[in-house]
Amino acid sequence: MPKQEQVVLDTFQKYADKLKSPLKLADILENAVGENSQYAAVFIPSGHGVLAKIPHNLDVKKVLNWAVEQEKFIIALCHGPASLGCGSR
């Protein structure tokens, strides 16, 4: 994490508690993909967990389909693109 950028440090501090206990996709799915969604993008991180679980997750499929239909951004890093196949219909 960049230690020289005050805006990065301030943003991290602002969301530190939420970052320590992230929400489960299943718990926010209906609001996340709803008509008045506050989300502008779907971010799929890297890591081997992505290869093992996310490509087969029906909630991820719903979110990816919503993102495509609503013309939202989809960002996938490193192993993340392995998840993109679950968004196909």
Side-chain angles (χ1 to χ4, degrees):
M1 186 162 98
K3 302 267 188 224
Q4 304 87 341
E5 300 292 332
Q6 192 59 46
V7 68
V8 172
L9 297 171
D10 292 345
T11 302
F12 176 78
Q13 190 61 37
K14 179 179 179 181
Y15 295 105
D17 289 338
K18 289 183 179 186
L19 291 169
K20 290 176 186 174
S21 56
L23 301 172
K24 291 182 181 181
L25 181 57
D27 295 341
I28 65 163
L29 185 60
E30 293 305 314
N31 289 330
V33 299
E35 196 171 302
N36 296 319
S37 177
Q38 63 182 349
Y39 295 96
V42 175
F43 174 70
I44 304 169
S46 179
H48 289 128
V50 172
L51 295 173
K53 296 180 181 180
I54 291 180
H56 308 288
N57 186 295
L58 295 178
D59 291 334
V60 172
K61 180 178 180 174
K62 290 177 189 175
V63 168
L64 289 173
N65 285 332
W66 165 82
V68 169
E69 290 166 5
Q70 299 300 312
E71 299 183 0
K72 302 291 184 176
F73 293 101
I74 299 174
I75 301 106
L77 301 178
C78 195
H79 291 84
S83 303
L84 299 178
C86 77
S88 60
R89 295 170 189 213

